[in-house]
Amino acid sequence: MQGLGLQSLKKNPALIPLYVCVGAGAIGAVYYIARLATRNPDVTWNRTSNPEPWQEYKEKQYKFYSPVRDYSKTKSAAPNFEE
């Protein structure tokens, strides 16, 4: 198939930025999905060691970035089921 091989890139060097942008987008998408799978409190991989992982984020800042408010200083409105 023309345009997908290394020899084709040598003939058409204008395709190199396209390959770089598509590769960077794919790497970014994989990183974002991996971050959601490992850092999201709604996802639990091991229920035996930590059955309620969302309780860990009660005092932590969960939002990635907020220019207006510092969420680490606010009290969580989440209920505490242990009491």
Side-chain angles (χ1 to χ4, degrees):
M1 208 173 207
Q2 202 173 27
L4 297 177
L6 190 58
Q7 291 177 352
S8 173
L9 280 177
K10 289 180 183 177
K11 290 180 186 176
N12 299 320
L15 292 176
I16 293 174
L18 178 68
Y19 275 69
V20 170
C21 290
V22 169
I27 289 172
V30 168
Y31 168 73
Y32 183 68
I33 290 173
R35 183 180 181 277
L36 283 178
T38 57
R39 300 287 183 193
N40 196 347
D42 297 332
V43 177
T44 178
W45 292 92
N46 188 1
R47 289 184 184 224
T48 57
S49 67
N50 191 6
E52 296 178 346
W54 50 88
Q55 294 294 337
E56 291 180 10
Y57 284 86
K58 195 166 191 167
E59 302 298 326
K60 291 182 182 178
Q61 182 176 351
Y62 170 67
K63 194 168 183 178
F64 188 66
Y65 173 72
S66 176
V68 179
R69 181 184 292 176
D70 185 15
Y71 285 99
S72 64
K73 295 180 181 176
T74 60
K75 183 159 174 55
S76 174
N80 190 2
F81 296 112
E82 295 174 359
E83 292 179 351

Coordinates of all heavy atoms in Angstrom, one line a residue:
M1 N 0.8 -1.2 0.0 CA 0.0 0.0 0.0 C 0.9 1.2 0.0 O 1.8 1.3 0.8 CB -0.9 0.0 1.2 CG -2.2 0.7 1.0 SD -3.2 0.4 2.5 CE -4.7 0.6 1.7
Q2 N 0.6 2.2 -0.8 CA 1.4 3.3 -1.0 C 1.2 4.3 0.1 O 0.0 4.6 0.5 CB 1.1 4.0 -2.3 CG 2.2 4.8 -2.8 CD 1.9 5.3 -4.2 OE1 0.8 5.4 -4.6 NE2 3.0 5.6 -5.0
G3 N 2.2 4.9 0.7 CA 2.1 5.9 1.8 C 2.3 5.3 3.2 O 2.3 6.1 4.1
L4 N 2.3 4.0 3.3 CA 2.4 3.4 4.7 C 3.8 2.8 5.0 O 4.0 2.4 6.1 CB 1.3 2.4 4.8 CG -0.1 2.9 4.7 CD1 -1.1 1.7 4.8 CD2 -0.4 3.9 5.8
G5 N 4.7 2.8 4.1 CA 6.0 2.1 4.3 C 7.1 3.1 4.4 O 6.9 4.4 4.2
L6 N 8.3 2.7 4.8 CA 9.4 3.5 5.0 C 9.9 4.1 3.6 O 10.3 5.2 3.6 CB 10.5 2.8 5.7 CG 11.7 3.6 6.2 CD1 11.3 4.7 7.1 CD2 12.7 2.7 6.9
Q7 N 9.8 3.2 2.6 CA 10.2 3.7 1.3 C 9.3 4.8 0.8 O 9.8 5.7 0.1 CB 10.3 2.5 0.3 CG 11.4 1.5 0.6 CD 11.3 0.3 -0.3 OE1 10.4 0.2 -1.1 NE2 12.3 -0.5 -0.3
S8 N 8.1 4.7 1.1 CA 7.1 5.7 0.7 C 7.4 7.1 1.4 O 7.2 8.1 0.8 CB 5.7 5.2 0.9 OG 4.8 6.3 0.7
L9 N 7.8 7.0 2.6 CA 8.2 8.2 3.4 C 9.4 8.9 2.8 O 9.5 10.1 2.9 CB 8.4 7.9 4.9 CG 7.1 7.7 5.7 CD1 7.5 7.3 7.1 CD2 6.3 9.0 5.7
K10 N 10.3 8.1 2.3 CA 11.5 8.6 1.7 C 11.1 9.3 0.4 O 11.7 10.4 0.0 CB 12.5 7.5 1.4 CG 13.2 7.0 2.7 CD 14.2 5.9 2.4 CE 14.8 5.4 3.6 NZ 15.7 4.3 3.4
K11 N 10.1 8.8 -0.3 CA 9.7 9.5 -1.6 C 8.9 10.7 -1.3 O 8.9 11.7 -2.0 CB 8.9 8.5 -2.4 CG 9.7 7.4 -3.0 CD 8.8 6.5 -3.8 CE 9.6 5.3 -4.3 NZ 8.7 4.3 -5.0
N12 N 8.1 10.7 -0.2 CA 7.2 11.8 0.1 C 7.5 12.3 1.5 O 6.8 11.9 2.5 CB 5.7 11.4 0.1 CG 5.3 10.9 -1.3 OD1 5.7 11.5 -2.3 ND2 4.5 9.9 -1.4
P13 N 8.5 13.1 1.7 CA 8.8 13.6 3.1 C 7.7 14.5 3.7 O 7.8 14.7 4.9 CB 10.1 14.3 2.9 CG 10.2 14.7 1.5 CD 9.4 13.7 0.7
A14 N 6.8 14.9 2.9 CA 5.7 15.8 3.5 C 4.8 14.9 4.4 O 4.0 15.5 5.1 CB 4.9 16.4 2.4
L15 N 4.8 13.6 4.3 CA 4.0 12.8 5.1 C 4.5 12.6 6.6 O 3.8 12.1 7.4 CB 3.8 11.4 4.5 CG 3.0 11.3 3.2 CD1 3.0 9.9 2.7 CD2 1.6 11.8 3.5
I16 N 5.8 13.0 6.8 CA 6.4 12.8 8.1 C 5.7 13.5 9.2 O 5.4 13.0 10.3 CB 7.9 13.1 8.0 CG1 8.6 12.1 7.2 CG2 8.5 13.1 9.4 CD1 10.1 12.4 6.9
P17 N 5.3 14.8 9.0 CA 4.6 15.5 10.1 C 3.2 14.8 10.4 O 2.7 14.8 11.5 CB 4.4 16.9 9.6 CG 5.4 17.1 8.6 CD 5.7 15.8 8.0
L18 N 2.6 14.3 9.3 CA 1.3 13.6 9.5 C 1.5 12.4 10.4 O 0.7 12.1 11.4 CB 0.7 13.2 8.2 CG -0.6 12.4 8.3 CD1 -1.7 13.3 8.8 CD2 -0.9 11.8 6.9
Y19 N 2.6 11.6 10.2 CA 2.9 10.4 11.0 C 3.2 10.8 12.4 O 2.8 10.2 13.4 CB 4.0 9.6 10.4 CG 3.6 8.7 9.3 CD1 3.2 9.1 8.1 CD2 3.7 7.3 9.5 CE1 2.8 8.2 7.1 CE2 3.4 6.4 8.6 CZ 2.9 6.8 7.3 OH 2.6 6.0 6.4
V20 N 3.9 11.9 12.6 CA 4.3 12.4 14.0 C 3.0 12.8 14.7 O 2.8 12.5 15.9 CB 5.3 13.5 13.9 CG1 5.5 14.2 15.2 CG2 6.6 13.0 13.3
C21 N 2.2 13.6 14.1 CA 0.9 14.0 14.8 C 0.0 12.9 15.1 O -0.6 12.8 16.2 CB 0.2 15.0 13.9 SG 1.1 16.6 13.7
V22 N -0.2 11.9 14.2 CA -1.0 10.8 14.5 C -0.4 9.9 15.6 O -1.1 9.5 16.5 CB -1.3 10.0 13.2 CG1 -1.9 8.6 13.5 CG2 -2.1 10.8 12.2
G23 N 0.9 9.7 15.6 CA 1.6 9.0 16.6 C 1.5 9.7 18.0 O 1.2 9.0 19.0
A24 N 1.6 11.0 18.0 CA 1.5 11.7 19.3 C 0.1 11.7 19.8 O -0.2 11.5 21.0 CB 1.9 13.2 19.1
G25 N -0.9 11.7 18.9 CA -2.3 11.6 19.3 C -2.6 10.2 19.9 O -3.3 10.1 20.9
A26 N -2.1 9.2 19.3 CA -2.3 7.8 19.8 C -1.7 7.6 21.1 O -2.3 7.0 22.0 CB -1.8 6.8 18.8
I27 N -0.4 8.2 21.3 CA 0.2 8.0 22.6 C -0.5 8.8 23.7 O -0.7 8.3 24.8 CB 1.7 8.5 22.5 CG1 2.5 7.5 21.6 CG2 2.4 8.7 23.8 CD1 3.9 7.9 21.3
G28 N -1.0 10.0 23.3 CA -1.8 10.8 24.3 C -3.1 10.1 24.7 O -3.5 10.1 25.9
A29 N -3.7 9.4 23.7 CA -5.0 8.7 24.0 C -4.7 7.5 24.9 O -5.5 7.2 25.9 CB -5.6 8.3 22.8
V30 N -3.6 6.8 24.7 CA -3.3 5.6 25.5 C -2.9 6.1 26.9 O -3.3 5.5 27.9 CB -2.1 4.8 24.9 CG1 -1.6 3.8 25.8 CG2 -2.6 4.1 23.6
Y31 N -2.2 7.2 27.0 CA -1.8 7.7 28.3 C -3.1 8.1 29.1 O -3.2 7.8 30.3 CB -0.9 8.9 28.2 CG -0.7 9.7 29.5 CD1 0.1 9.1 30.5 CD2 -1.3 10.9 29.7 CE1 0.2 9.8 31.7 CE2 -1.1 11.6 30.9 CZ -0.4 11.1 31.9 OH -0.2 11.7 33.0
Y32 N -4.0 8.8 28.5 CA -5.2 9.3 29.1 C -6.1 8.1 29.6 O -6.6 8.1 30.7 CB -6.0 10.2 28.2 CG -7.2 10.7 28.9 CD1 -7.1 11.7 29.9 CD2 -8.5 10.3 28.4 CE1 -8.3 12.2 30.5 CE2 -9.6 10.9 29.0 CZ -9.5 11.8 30.0 OH -10.6 12.3 30.6
I33 N -6.2 7.1 28.8 CA -7.0 5.9 29.2 C -6.3 5.2 30.4 O -7.0 4.7 31.3 CB -7.2 5.0 28.0 CG1 -8.2 5.6 27.0 CG2 -7.7 3.6 28.4 CD1 -8.4 4.9 25.7
A34 N -5.0 5.1 30.3 CA -4.3 4.4 31.4 C -4.4 5.2 32.7 O -4.5 4.7 33.8 CB -2.8 4.2 31.0
R35 N -4.3 6.5 32.6 CA -4.5 7.4 33.8 C -5.9 7.2 34.3 O -6.1 7.2 35.6 CB -4.2 8.9 33.4 CG -4.3 9.8 34.6 CD -4.1 11.2 34.2 NE -4.1 12.1 35.3 CZ -5.2 12.6 35.8 NH1 -6.4 12.3 35.3 NH2 -5.2 13.4 36.9
L36 N -6.9 7.2 33.5 CA -8.3 7.0 34.0 C -8.4 5.6 34.7 O -9.1 5.5 35.7 CB -9.3 7.1 32.9 CG -9.6 8.5 32.4 CD1 -10.6 8.4 31.2 CD2 -10.2 9.3 33.5
A37 N -7.8 4.6 34.1 CA -7.9 3.3 34.7 C -7.2 3.1 36.0 O -7.6 2.3 36.8 CB -7.4 2.2 33.7
T38 N -6.1 3.9 36.2 CA -5.4 3.7 37.5 C -5.6 4.8 38.5 O -5.5 4.5 39.7 CB -3.8 3.7 37.1 OG1 -3.5 5.0 36.5 CG2 -3.5 2.6 36.3
R39 N -6.0 6.0 38.1 CA -6.2 7.1 39.1 C -7.6 7.4 39.4 O -7.9 8.2 40.3 CB -5.5 8.3 38.5 CG -4.1 8.2 38.3 CD -3.3 8.1 39.6 NE -1.9 8.0 39.3 CZ -1.0 7.8 40.2 NH1 -1.4 7.5 41.4 NH2 0.3 7.7 39.9
N40 N -8.6 6.9 38.7 CA -10.0 7.3 38.9 C -10.5 6.6 40.1 O -10.4 5.3 40.2 CB -10.8 6.9 37.7 CG -12.1 7.5 37.6 OD1 -12.6 8.1 38.6 ND2 -12.8 7.5 36.5
P41 N -11.1 7.3 41.1 CA -11.6 6.6 42.2 C -12.9 5.7 42.0 O -13.2 4.9 42.8 CB -12.0 7.7 43.2 CG -12.3 8.9 42.3 CD -11.4 8.7 41.1
D42 N -13.5 5.8 40.8 CA -14.6 5.0 40.5 C -14.2 3.6 40.0 O -15.0 2.7 39.9 CB -15.5 5.7 39.4 CG -16.0 7.0 39.9 OD1 -16.3 7.1 41.1 OD2 -16.3 7.8 39.0
V43 N -12.9 3.4 39.7 CA -12.4 2.2 39.1 C -11.6 1.5 40.3 O -10.8 2.0 40.9 CB -11.5 2.4 37.9 CG1 -10.9 1.1 37.5 CG2 -12.2 3.1 36.8
T44 N -12.0 0.2 40.5 CA -11.3 -0.6 41.5 C -10.8 -1.9 40.8 O -11.6 -2.5 40.2 CB -12.1 -0.8 42.7 OG1 -11.3 -1.6 43.6 CG2 -13.4 -1.5 42.4
W45 N -9.5 -2.2 41.0 CA -9.0 -3.4 40.4 C -8.9 -4.5 41.4 O -8.9 -5.7 41.0 CB -7.6 -3.1 39.8 CG -7.6 -2.1 38.7 CD1 -7.5 -0.8 38.7 CD2 -7.8 -2.5 37.3 NE1 -7.6 -0.3 37.5 CE2 -7.7 -1.3 36.6 CE3 -7.9 -3.7 36.6 CZ2 -7.8 -1.3 35.2 CZ3 -8.0 -3.6 35.2 CH2 -8.0 -2.5 34.5
N46 N -8.8 -4.2 42.7 CA -8.7 -5.2 43.7 C -9.6 -4.9 44.8 O -9.3 -4.1 45.7 CB -7.2 -5.3 44.2 CG -7.0 -6.4 45.1 OD1 -7.9 -7.2 45.4 ND2 -5.8 -6.5 45.6
R47 N -10.8 -5.5 44.8 CA -11.8 -5.2 45.9 C -11.5 -5.9 47.2 O -12.0 -5.5 48.2 CB -13.1 -5.7 45.4 CG -13.7 -4.9 44.3 CD -15.1 -5.4 44.0 NE -15.6 -4.6 42.8 CZ -16.8 -4.1 42.7 NH1 -17.6 -4.3 43.7 NH2 -17.1 -3.4 41.7
T48 N -10.6 -6.8 47.3 CA -10.3 -7.5 48.5 C -9.5 -6.6 49.5 O -9.7 -6.5 50.7 CB -9.6 -8.8 48.3 OG1 -8.4 -8.6 47.6 CG2 -10.5 -9.8 47.6
S49 N -8.5 -5.9 48.9 CA -7.6 -5.1 49.7 C -8.2 -3.7 50.0 O -8.0 -3.2 51.1 CB -6.2 -4.9 49.1 OG -6.4 -4.1 47.9
N50 N -9.0 -3.2 49.1 CA -9.6 -1.9 49.3 C -11.0 -1.9 48.7 O -11.2 -1.6 47.6 CB -8.8 -0.8 48.7 CG -9.2 0.6 49.1 OD1 -10.1 0.7 49.9 ND2 -8.6 1.6 48.5
P51 N -12.0 -2.3 49.5 CA -13.4 -2.4 49.0 C -14.0 -1.1 48.6 O -14.9 -1.0 47.8 CB -14.2 -3.1 50.0 CG -13.4 -2.8 51.3 CD -12.0 -2.7 50.9
E52 N -13.6 0.0 49.2 CA -14.2 1.4 49.0 C -13.0 2.3 48.6 O -12.6 3.1 49.4 CB -14.9 1.9 50.2 CG -16.2 1.0 50.5 CD -16.9 1.5 51.7 OE1 -16.4 2.3 52.4 OE2 -18.0 1.0 51.9
P53 N -12.5 2.3 47.4 CA -11.4 3.2 47.0 C -11.7 4.7 47.0 O -10.9 5.5 47.1 CB -11.0 2.7 45.6 CG -12.2 2.1 45.1 CD -13.0 1.5 46.3
W54 N -13.0 5.0 46.8 CA -13.4 6.4 46.8 C -13.2 7.1 48.1 O -13.2 8.3 48.2 CB -14.8 6.6 46.3 CG -15.8 5.7 47.0 CD1 -16.4 6.0 48.2 CD2 -16.2 4.4 46.7 NE1 -17.2 5.0 48.6 CE2 -17.1 3.9 47.7 CE3 -15.9 3.5 45.7 CZ2 -17.7 2.7 47.7 CZ3 -16.5 2.3 45.6 CH2 -17.3 1.9 46.6
Q55 N -13.1 6.3 49.2 CA -12.9 6.9 50.5 C -11.4 7.5 50.6 O -11.2 8.4 51.5 CB -13.1 5.9 51.6 CG -14.5 5.5 51.8 CD -15.5 6.6 52.2 OE1 -15.0 7.6 52.8 NE2 -16.7 6.5 51.9
E56 N -10.5 7.0 49.8 CA -9.2 7.6 49.8 C -9.1 9.0 49.3 O -8.3 9.8 49.7 CB -8.2 6.7 49.0 CG -8.0 5.4 49.5 CD -7.0 4.6 48.6 OE1 -6.5 5.1 47.7 OE2 -6.9 3.4 48.9
Y57 N -10.1 9.4 48.5 CA -10.1 10.7 47.8 C -10.9 11.7 48.6 O -11.3 12.8 48.1 CB -10.6 10.6 46.4 CG -9.6 10.1 45.5 CD1 -9.4 8.7 45.3 CD2 -8.8 10.9 44.8 CE1 -8.5 8.2 44.4 CE2 -7.8 10.4 43.9 CZ -7.7 9.1 43.8 OH -6.7 8.6 42.9
K58 N -11.3 11.3 49.8 CA -12.1 12.2 50.7 C -11.4 13.5 51.0 O -12.0 14.6 51.0 CB -12.5 11.5 51.9 CG -13.7 12.2 52.6 CD -14.2 11.3 53.6 CE -15.5 11.9 54.1 NZ -16.3 11.0 54.9
E59 N -10.1 13.5 51.2 CA -9.3 14.6 51.6 C -8.3 15.0 50.5 O -7.5 15.9 50.7 CB -8.5 14.4 52.9 CG -9.4 14.0 54.1 CD -10.4 15.1 54.4 OE1 -10.0 16.3 54.3 OE2 -11.5 14.8 54.8
K60 N -8.3 14.3 49.4 CA -7.3 14.6 48.3 C -8.0 15.5 47.2 O -9.2 15.5 47.1 CB -6.8 13.3 47.7 CG -6.0 12.5 48.5 CD -5.5 11.3 47.8 CE -4.6 10.4 48.7 NZ -4.2 9.2 47.9
Q61 N -7.2 16.1 46.4 CA -7.7 16.9 45.3 C -7.8 15.9 44.1 O -6.8 15.4 43.6 CB -6.7 18.0 44.9 CG -7.2 18.9 43.8 CD -6.3 20.0 43.5 OE1 -5.4 20.3 44.3 NE2 -6.5 20.7 42.4
Y62 N -9.0 15.8 43.7 CA -9.3 14.8 42.6 C -9.3 15.5 41.2 O -8.8 14.9 40.2 CB -10.7 14.2 42.8 CG -11.1 13.3 41.6 CD1 -10.4 12.2 41.3 CD2 -12.2 13.7 40.9 CE1 -10.8 11.4 40.2 CE2 -12.6 13.0 39.8 CZ -11.9 11.8 39.5 OH -12.3 11.1 38.4
K63 N -9.7 16.7 41.2 CA -9.8 17.4 39.9 C -8.4 17.7 39.4 O -7.5 18.1 40.2 CB -10.6 18.7 40.0 CG -11.0 19.3 38.7 CD -12.0 20.4 38.9 CE -12.4 21.0 37.6 NZ -13.4 22.0 37.7
F64 N -8.1 17.5 38.1 CA -6.8 17.6 37.6 C -6.2 19.0 37.6 O -5.1 19.3 38.1 CB -6.8 17.1 36.1 CG -5.4 17.0 35.5 CD1 -4.5 16.1 36.0 CD2 -5.1 17.8 34.5 CE1 -3.3 16.0 35.4 CE2 -3.8 17.7 33.9 CZ -2.9 16.8 34.4
Y65 N -7.1 20.0 37.3 CA -6.6 21.4 37.3 C -7.8 22.3 37.5 O -8.8 22.2 36.8 CB -5.9 21.8 36.0 CG -5.5 23.2 35.9 CD1 -4.5 23.8 36.6 CD2 -6.2 24.1 35.0 CE1 -4.2 25.1 36.6 CE2 -5.9 25.4 34.9 CZ -4.9 25.9 35.7 OH -4.6 27.2 35.6
S66 N -7.7 23.3 38.4 CA -8.8 24.3 38.5 C -8.1 25.6 38.8 O -7.5 25.8 39.9 CB -9.7 23.9 39.7 OG -10.6 24.9 39.9
P67 N -8.2 26.6 37.9 CA -7.6 27.9 38.2 C -8.3 28.7 39.2 O -7.8 29.7 39.7 CB -7.7 28.5 36.8 CG -8.9 27.9 36.1 CD -8.9 26.5 36.6
V68 N -9.6 28.4 39.5 CA -10.4 29.2 40.4 C -10.3 28.7 41.9 O -10.2 29.5 42.8 CB -11.9 29.2 39.9 CG1 -12.7 30.0 40.8 CG2 -11.9 29.7 38.5
R69 N -10.4 27.5 42.1 CA -10.6 26.9 43.5 C -9.5 25.9 43.8 O -9.2 25.1 43.0 CB -12.0 26.3 43.6 CG -12.3 25.8 45.0 CD -13.6 25.1 45.0 NE -14.7 26.0 44.8 CZ -15.9 25.7 44.8 NH1 -16.3 24.4 44.8 NH2 -16.8 26.6 44.6
D70 N -9.1 25.9 45.0 CA -8.2 24.9 45.5 C -9.0 23.8 46.3 O -9.5 24.0 47.4 CB -7.1 25.5 46.5 CG -6.1 24.5 46.9 OD1 -6.0 23.4 46.3 OD2 -5.4 24.8 47.8
Y71 N -9.2 22.7 45.6 CA -10.1 21.7 46.2 C -9.4 20.9 47.3 O -10.1 20.2 48.0 CB -10.4 20.7 45.1 CG -11.5 21.2 44.1 CD1 -11.1 21.7 42.9 CD2 -12.8 21.2 44.5 CE1 -12.1 22.2 42.0 CE2 -13.8 21.7 43.6 CZ -13.4 22.2 42.4 OH -14.4 22.7 41.6
S72 N -8.1 21.0 47.5 CA -7.5 20.3 48.6 C -7.8 21.0 50.0 O -7.7 20.3 51.0 CB -6.0 20.3 48.4 OG -5.5 21.6 48.5
K73 N -8.3 22.2 50.0 CA -8.7 22.9 51.2 C -10.1 22.8 51.6 O -10.6 23.2 52.6 CB -8.2 24.4 51.1 CG -6.7 24.5 51.0 CD -6.3 26.0 51.0 CE -4.8 26.1 50.8 NZ -4.4 27.5 50.7
T74 N -11.0 22.3 50.7 CA -12.4 22.2 50.9 C -12.7 20.8 51.5 O -12.1 19.8 51.2 CB -13.2 22.4 49.6 OG1 -12.8 21.4 48.7 CG2 -13.0 23.8 49.1
K75 N -13.7 20.8 52.4 CA -14.2 19.5 52.9 C -15.1 18.8 52.0 O -15.9 19.4 51.3 CB -14.9 19.8 54.2 CG -15.3 18.5 55.0 CD -15.6 18.8 56.4 CE -16.1 17.6 57.1 NZ -15.4 16.4 57.0
S76 N -14.9 17.5 51.9 CA -15.7 16.7 51.0 C -17.1 16.5 51.5 O -17.3 16.4 52.7 CB -15.0 15.3 50.8 OG -15.8 14.5 50.0
A77 N -18.0 16.6 50.6 CA -19.4 16.4 50.9 C -19.8 14.9 50.8 O -21.0 14.6 51.0 CB -20.3 17.2 50.0
A78 N -18.9 14.0 50.6 CA -19.2 12.6 50.5 C -19.5 12.0 51.9 O -18.9 12.4 52.9 CB -18.0 11.8 49.9
P79 N -20.5 11.2 52.0 CA -20.9 10.6 53.3 C -19.9 9.6 53.7 O -19.2 8.9 52.9 CB -22.2 9.9 53.0 CG -22.2 9.6 51.5 CD -21.4 10.7 50.9
N80 N -19.7 9.4 55.0 CA -18.8 8.4 55.6 C -19.7 7.3 56.1 O -20.4 7.4 57.1 CB -18.0 9.1 56.7 CG -16.9 8.2 57.2 OD1 -16.7 7.1 56.6 ND2 -16.2 8.6 58.2
F81 N -19.5 6.1 55.4 CA -20.3 5.0 55.8 C -19.8 4.1 56.9 O -20.4 3.2 57.4 CB -20.5 4.1 54.5 CG -21.2 4.7 53.4 CD1 -20.6 5.1 52.2 CD2 -22.6 5.0 53.5 CE1 -21.3 5.7 51.2 CE2 -23.3 5.7 52.5 CZ -22.6 6.0 51.3
E82 N -18.6 4.5 57.3 CA -17.9 3.7 58.4 C -18.4 4.1 59.8 O -18.3 3.4 60.7 CB -16.4 3.9 58.3 CG -15.8 3.3 57.1 CD -14.4 3.6 56.9 OE1 -13.8 4.3 57.8 OE2 -13.8 3.1 56.0
E83 N -19.0 5.3 59.9 CA -19.5 5.8 61.2 C -20.8 5.2 61.6 O -21.6 4.9 60.8 CB -19.5 7.3 61.2 CG -18.2 7.9 61.1 CD -18.2 9.5 61.1 OE1 -19.4 10.0 61.0 OE2 -17.2 10.1 61.2

